[in-house]
Amino acid sequence: MQVTDIRVHARTGLPFTAVGYGGAPIGNFNGVFTDAAAFEMVSQAWAQGVRYFDTAPGYGNGLSEHRLGHALRGHDRTELVLSTKVGRVLTPTMNAPSNNGQYQDIPPFVATYDYTYDGVMRAVEQSMQRMLTDRFDMLFIHDCDRYTHGDAHSEYLRQAIVSAFPALESLRDQGVVTAIGFGVNETDVMTEAVKATDSDLCLLAGRYTLLEQDPLDALLPICEERGIGLVLGGVYNSGVLATGPIDGARFNYGPAPRDVLSKAKRLEDICGRYRVELPAVALQFAYAHPAVSSICIGARNADQQQRNADLFETAVPQQLWDDLRAAQLIREDAPTPS
């Protein structure tokens, strides 16, 4: 496998590099970047051959969009695939907090969840201005899920389906965007969303990994049947598949529970028999499903970004995949690289 491998999404014709650039870190997620350091991260990804770039208004109150847009401005727009998200409207606010959850030193805006038709139109216009672009290749309705909204997620999802999605359909008809869909953290929410809409491409974070394969039951078969492409984020489950089962390992943005650490240890032990690193297997497993258009990876620094590229291109023996199946660590029906 190569970072530069291309899968063309048949329904839209969009060409995706196997590895995409995840823009959350340069929005100052769990640490502060300078503008210059953010620019270098994007430049390094481009030099590696990455041509798919993803961001969102929620990544640091527009900071990630601003930095990514400026970093990409010097490249030919026709050579890259660009996605951002809708569902948040940013309002300049005096004395707004400089931190928001895990995002630090962010612009003085207040983000409001807004899945209405008008809210989507306003959000897209804001994103265009921040990113210095006249169009997007993909727009995802962002975070209308249980992880973000708790018990209120059903109402937010309903509004996303009946109001936000028609707004995206209008933008698709106008040629402002090529592909539309959802970007969420939960398989059941994504499945409900794609059943109810004519989505082209969607982004699922953290749910199809070496540790979790529930999307094989319903979501991935629907995607294959309808020609819906899937971008996978969080293929390390937010940490533990990158670090292994170490003290302080993270899972779903929190401390990894004991059962997850135990499974990660079993995975790591089998990888160790073949002298292959666990994160290399995690990356390649996620990309192996034919419905997956790209795996989108965020990195904290240049060394980490280079390591991710090297891991993706590591040779993994076929017997390793067979051993994982035999140990019931991956499902029988889960595709693996050949």
Side-chain angles (χ1 to χ4, degrees):
M1 287 186 176
Q2 301 291 315
V3 168
T4 54
D5 288 349
I6 297 290
R7 284 183 180 169
V8 177
H9 180 239
R11 183 169 173 171
T12 62
L14 291 173
F16 289 87
T17 46
V19 173
Y21 178 85
I26 62 170
N28 288 354
F29 181 73
N30 280 338
V32 176
F33 275 82
T34 64
D35 290 343
F39 185 93
E40 288 303 315
M41 290 293 289
V42 178
S43 296
Q44 181 194 34
W46 187 275
Q48 290 171 341
V50 172
R51 293 297 183 268
Y52 169 46
F53 297 84
D54 175 72
T55 183
Y59 299 163
N61 277 2
L63 185 59
S64 173
E65 286 188 323
H66 172 83
R67 286 171 164 170
L68 182 60
H70 284 71
L72 291 175
R73 188 164 181 261
H75 297 290
D76 185 341
R77 181 65 179 83
T78 64
E79 292 186 14
L80 63 98
V81 173
L82 182 63
S83 64
T84 191
K85 305 179 183 77
V86 300
R88 287 175 175 85
V89 173
L90 305 182
T91 304
T93 304
M94 293 185 65
N95 301 315
S98 60
N99 295 334
N100 181 11
Q102 293 169 284
Y103 290 94
Q104 306 170 23
D105 190 22
I106 56 177
F109 304 141
V110 169
T112 304
Y113 291 107
D114 192 336
Y115 299 99
T116 65
Y117 189 103
D118 289 345
V120 166
M121 293 300 188
R122 184 178 176 194
V124 172
E125 183 176 7
Q126 289 182 344
S127 292
M128 285 179 165
Q129 291 174 346
R130 281 189 292 268
M131 300 198 72
L132 307 175
T133 188
D134 59 349
R135 67 192 187 281
F136 292 104
D137 297 294
M138 290 181 291
L139 289 170
F140 300 123
I141 302 174
H142 198 199
D143 285 347
C144 50
D145 52 26
R146 194 176 295 105
Y147 176 83
T148 306
H149 299 293
D151 292 341
H153 88 277
S154 293
E155 176 55 30
Y156 281 107
L157 178 59
R158 185 199 67 80
Q159 188 179 56
I161 291 170
V162 304
S163 192
F165 196 82
L168 293 187
E169 288 181 306
S170 175
L171 293 172
R172 184 174 60 185
D173 291 343
Q174 297 172 51
V176 174
V177 61
T178 301
I180 60 176
F182 293 79
V184 299
N185 296 276
E186 290 138 11
T187 304
D188 61 333
V189 173
M190 182 70 82
T191 303
E192 184 177 350
V194 298
K195 283 182 176 179
T197 62
D198 183 30
S199 293
D200 301 303
L201 281 137
C202 292
L203 193 158
L204 182 66
R207 300 284 74 81
Y208 187 69
T209 71
L210 280 178
L211 293 170
E212 299 184 46
Q213 289 127 51
D214 287 348
L216 288 167
D217 293 329
L219 177 61
L220 285 164
I222 291 171
C223 289
E224 288 189 284
E225 177 185 343
R226 297 190 182 180
I228 300 169
L230 203 62
V231 174
L232 294 180
V235 296
Y236 289 145
N237 280 118
S238 79
V240 65
L241 289 175
T243 64
I246 62 173
D247 289 341
R250 308 283 287 177
F251 175 79
N252 281 0
Y253 312 109
R258 184 172 300 175
D259 63 324
V260 167
L261 292 173
S262 176
K263 186 171 183 180
K265 179 64 166 63
R266 294 173 64 203
L267 288 162
E268 188 176 62
D269 287 346
I270 290 177
C271 293
R273 295 177 197 168
Y274 298 91
R275 298 188 178 183
V276 175
E277 295 187 67
L278 174 61
V281 176
L283 293 174
Q284 295 184 32
F285 174 79
Y287 187 64
H289 197 287
V292 173
S293 296
S294 184
I295 55 172
C296 204
I297 308 171
R300 293 283 334 131
N301 53 56
D303 289 344
Q304 192 178 89
Q305 187 161 258
Q306 184 58 54
R307 180 171 182 260
N308 285 331
D310 293 340
L311 289 166
F312 186 78
E313 298 183 351
T314 297
V316 177
Q318 184 62 44
Q319 187 61 45
L320 188 153
W321 303 112
D322 296 340
D323 288 359
L324 292 181
R325 280 200 179 84
Q328 298 184 327
L329 288 169
I330 59 174
R331 286 175 40 163
E332 287 289 338
D333 55 344
T336 51
S338 58

